[in-house]
Amino acid sequence: MMAGFYTVISANNLVKKVVGLNIFQTSVFMLYISMGKVDGGTAPIVADGVSLYSNPLPHVLILTAIVVGVATTAVGLSLIVRIKQAYGTVEENEFQNKDDAI
Amino acid sequence: MFEQHLAVLPIIIPLIAAPISLILGRSILSWLLATFASAWACYASWQLLAATLSDGVISYAAGGWQPPWGIEMRVDTANAFILLAVSAISTLVLLYSKDSIEKEIKAPQHSLFYTAHLLCLAGLSGILITGDAFNLFVFLEISSLATYTLVSLASDRRCLTAAFRYLVMGTVGATFILIGVGMLYMKTGTLNMLDLAARIDLYDSSRTINTGLAFIMVGVSIKLALFPLHMWLPAAYTHAPSAVTAFLASTATKVAVYVMIRFVFTVFGIEHVFEKMGMNYILMVLAIVAIFKCSYMATVQSNVKTVLAYSSVAQIGYMVLGISLVSATGLMAGLIHIFNHALMKGALFMAVGAVFYRMGSVDIKAFRGLGKQMPWTMAAFAIAGLSIIGVPLTAGFVSKWYLVVGALEQSNWVVAALVLAGSLLAVIYIGRVLEAAYFQKLPDSEDPNKIKEVPLLMLIPMWVLVIANIYFGIDTSLTTEAASHSAEWLFETNQLKEVSP
């Protein structure tokens, strides 16, 4: 989680920032998945002779959150494409004008 | 058929209209559809407010799954009140945007603009209506993603970096909220807000829950641009198209303030957040610093949109200050200010957009002599500006009045004095613009015959908001009734919880 967050803050390259954001989000997804684990439980599928299941709700929630994460990445990357077209660079320190800094 | 599903209509209508608007493709058709959808959503939220005022809380089980297992849509006076403000502003902004975006957004992207606007409206309504903590995160992301797109639609290339910065900050904020909600779920095993509230009381001072509270508060503070976390806001508001800024400034951050109110008062309970965690001191100090620092920043900017953007951060300070007073009056002042600020900032940004429409610039130099050339636009700017300052007979006065009353109730003289001193800074930054408009001459390089009033379709929404500013400044019964009703209700839910263990 911290690795991703650090990358978002420190990276100079915008693509790396988006990658950092992704790592950050994915680690939160892992947090959710891990809390669904029940000791000795199996996959949450109804079957004979199984009474202990993992909690399926966090998995379902994270499916939604993954969709959100993918959408964010897509918007972020497409913004980067347009920034590259407009400025000719995706390195943060290469923007000349102070107004343009990110 | 519609009455039964009234509670979800404000989400469903824009959500369905958004892809249709994209398919239609023609600018004018998309505009008609978007305005119609938004007006319908506004009508539905009006009915919701009337229903909650007479019958109390409306609960709607999405898909027929009963809460707390299914997703509950829960409408009470507090969110119906803000919902009405949001959808009304959205309708007015859409009316206004038809002419405004012609100068600011490239023609092929017009239907995209309407699509993103409708998605944003759907997301904001969803945040307000939902009674489920995770669902709130999803709607927050829907509205935010639409917002990033809206900001990046402007023709100025700086909007791209502003949108990117907003995207990074916004996503970090939303992910923080996600972590916080995860912590709560870990401890309580539920996501329904009322269910959460009941169970959080059982785990009195669990560290997991406190960590969750911290994550949620920081995440929401990024979204609502509370003082040290506001860096994305001025850039995004300055470079976005005017119609987008008018919509975002008056709705998006306000909805985030609502999220904070909802988490503090309904989910965690004031006793936990304020008495045990001492959040009110943190919030109060940050709010006061926000009022002064950002009002000062507003007085030294040359771009009028940046001036208003900084002013927005300062006004958010007033709302958070209302929350941090921990009293029914303070909360009521915060809620009224959410509503009133939407009216005045909407009108101000629309007036600035009108100036851009004629002059092609929003620098303070472009305002010189406009008092004569565009009398209606500048009169609207002046009245809405007076409202920001808090002059009597305008809406801004009412909310500041209650804020000061709330502070005095607790004999908090310092806060009351600071609120009034903050208004003086507003006099300066609004005054600078008015001075340029009314007391300076139009530069010789401009042709006075060319600079005329903007089209009627831009003036009417602007003036509807201005008249609303004056109306709600004189007849305060609707706003105060709804706000005091909801403030009492938010406090009562706490009282009830304390009685039943």
Side-chain angles (χ1 to χ4, degrees):
Chain A
M1 207 182 276
M2 287 323 293
F5 198 39
Y6 179 75
T7 315
V8 175
I9 297 168
S10 68
N12 190 29
N13 186 310
L14 300 185
V15 179
K16 283 185 186 162
K17 265 187 198 290
V18 171
V19 172
L21 213 54
N22 252 314
I23 297 173
F24 181 45
Q25 286 186 315
T26 312
S27 65
V28 178
F29 302 160
M30 306 278 267
L31 174 80
Y32 266 80
I33 305 274
S34 65
M35 73 173 104
K37 169 77 177 157
V38 175
D39 275 342
T42 64
I45 302 165
V46 178
D48 289 334
V50 183
S51 57
L52 197 58
Y53 305 112
S54 291
N55 184 353
L57 187 64
H59 304 176
V60 181
L61 296 180
I62 284 318
L63 272 181
T64 321
I66 288 173
V67 174
V68 171
V70 169
T72 313
T73 314
V75 175
L77 289 177
S78 54
L79 276 176
I80 293 175
V81 170
R82 284 192 55 200
I83 288 176
K84 174 79 177 166
Q85 284 170 351
Y87 290 90
T89 178
V90 289
E91 299 290 332
E92 207 181 329
N93 56 2
E94 286 175 17
F95 296 127
Q96 276 105 26
N97 199 331
K98 195 167 152 266
D99 274 9
D100 299 337
I102 291 182
Chain B
M1 177 190 138
F2 287 130
E3 270 78 46
Q4 201 186 341
H5 300 289
L6 190 62
V8 283
L9 281 188
I11 311 174
I12 297 292
I13 297 166
L15 204 56
I16 293 175
I20 301 178
S21 144
L22 187 65
I23 295 167
L24 284 177
R26 291 267 301 281
S27 174
I28 183 84
L29 291 178
S30 304
W31 173 71
L32 277 176
L33 177 78
T35 316
F36 173 71
S38 177
W40 191 7
C42 180
Y43 176 65
S45 32
W46 170 253
Q47 282 181 316
L48 275 175
L49 181 63
T52 47
L53 277 175
S54 58
D55 312 333
V57 180
I58 299 171
S59 171
Y60 176 89
W65 297 87
Q66 290 306 311
W69 296 280
I71 293 169
E72 186 192 13
M73 300 291 162
R74 206 177 164 77
V75 188
D76 53 46
T77 331
N79 50 21
F81 181 53
I82 304 174
L83 186 65
L84 178 64
V86 167
S87 51
I89 296 275
S90 153
T91 314
L92 289 173
V93 167
L94 278 171
L95 280 176
Y96 170 89
S97 63
K98 180 176 171 292
D99 288 311
S100 172
I101 62 171
E102 259 167 32
K103 297 251 168 151
E104 299 185 40
I105 300 177
K106 292 183 203 100
Q109 291 172 338
H110 282 181
S111 59
L112 273 177
F113 164 81
Y114 294 118
T115 310
H117 183 107
L118 285 171
L119 281 177
C120 188
L121 175 66
L124 294 174
S125 312
I127 297 172
L128 291 169
I129 293 175
T130 188
D132 184 278
F134 189 82
N135 202 227
L136 188 142
F137 160 77
V138 174
F139 278 122
L140 195 67
E141 279 300 70
I142 291 178
S143 71
S144 303
L145 284 170
T147 315
Y148 311 143
T149 323
L150 283 173
V151 170
S152 70
L153 279 175
S155 42
D156 183 359
R157 69 175 184 174
R158 279 174 298 179
C159 74
L160 296 172
T161 44
F164 189 80
R165 187 195 318 191
Y166 185 13
L167 180 129
V168 170
M169 292 286 277
T171 309
V172 169
T175 312
F176 268 38
I177 296 175
L178 186 63
I179 299 173
V181 171
M183 300 271 180
L184 296 186
Y185 180 74
M186 212 185 268
K187 199 70 194 172
T188 59
T190 178
L191 288 165
N192 184 293
M193 286 186 188
L194 289 181
D195 210 24
L196 264 177
R199 294 195 194 190
I200 281 175
D201 272 6
L202 300 179
Y203 306 99
D204 215 2
S205 50
S206 148
R207 195 167 290 165
T208 316
I209 285 178
N210 288 349
T211 318
L213 171 66
F215 270 115
I216 289 177
M217 289 303 264
V218 173
V220 175
S221 299
I222 293 179
K223 286 281 179 194
L224 66 79
L226 188 60
F227 162 63
L229 306 169
H230 69 281
M231 292 317 293
W232 56 267
L233 189 143
Y237 282 14
T238 307
H239 302 306
S242 307
V244 173
T245 316
F247 181 58
L248 293 185
S250 42
T251 55
T253 43
K254 310 297 153 315
V255 170
V257 176
Y258 162 81
V259 174
M260 180 183 258
I261 292 178
R262 181 59 66 188
F263 270 109
V264 167
F265 287 90
T266 308
V267 175
F268 289 99
I270 38 173
E271 199 197 351
H272 184 81
V273 179
F274 290 142
E275 283 168 27
K276 290 200 190 112
M277 303 282 283
M279 280 280 185
N280 51 340
Y281 299 108
I282 305 175
L283 289 180
M284 190 180 280
V285 169
L286 289 180
I288 289 173
V289 175
I291 293 171
F292 280 92
K293 169 84 189 339
C294 294
S295 295
Y296 170 72
M297 289 299 286
T299 58
V300 295
Q301 301 295 326
S302 66
N303 185 322
V304 177
K305 261 176 152 178
T306 322
V307 169
L308 294 180
Y310 273 109
S311 150
S312 279
V313 184
Q315 301 297 318
I316 287 160
Y318 286 111
M319 292 166 210
V320 176
L321 187 66
I323 300 173
S324 72
L325 285 173
V326 205
S327 68
T329 323
L331 181 60
M332 180 180 151
L335 283 171
I336 296 180
H337 203 51
I338 290 178
F339 185 83
N340 289 345
H341 182 251
L343 297 180
M344 46 207 189
K345 262 297 148 46
L348 282 172
F349 273 118
M350 280 182 185
V352 173
V355 171
F356 186 87
Y357 184 81
R358 278 292 173 233
M359 309 293 291
S361 158
V362 286
D363 198 87
I364 199 158
K365 288 197 187 97
F367 279 71
R368 282 179 300 181
L370 286 189
K372 280 218 182 75
Q373 305 297 328
M374 301 167 72
W376 287 97
T377 308
M378 288 321 293
F381 189 92
I383 296 174
L386 290 178
S387 188
I388 283 265
I389 297 166
V391 175
L393 298 186
T394 57
F397 174 71
V398 182
S399 37
K400 290 221 172 115
W401 169 265
Y402 280 107
L403 203 55
V404 173
V405 168
L408 290 185
E409 259 177 14
Q410 302 175 339
S411 337
N412 211 334
W413 298 95
V414 182
V415 170
L418 288 174
V419 168
L420 297 177
S423 309
L424 290 179
L425 282 170
V427 176
I428 301 175
Y429 60 74
I430 296 293
R432 277 173 70 226
V433 180
L434 293 183
E435 195 258 348
Y438 284 103
F439 298 111
Q440 289 185 16
K441 285 214 173 70
L442 195 70
D444 294 333
S445 55
E446 303 286 348
D447 180 7
N449 298 323
K450 264 193 192 161
I451 301 161
K452 305 180 300 242
E453 211 34 278
V454 285
L456 209 56
L457 210 54
M458 287 172 83
L459 274 183
I460 290 173
M462 201 191 305
W463 272 90
V464 168
L465 284 179
V466 169
I467 290 166
N469 258 312
I470 301 173
Y471 176 78
F472 288 115
I474 297 170
D475 177 19
T476 57
S477 56
L478 174 75
T479 40
T480 46
E481 187 195 357
S484 70
H485 199 274
S486 39
E488 274 164 26
W489 186 84
L490 283 168
F491 264 81
E492 262 170 32
T493 46
N494 268 292
Q495 248 82 69
L496 279 179
K497 249 168 44 197
E498 280 164 29
V499 178
S500 61

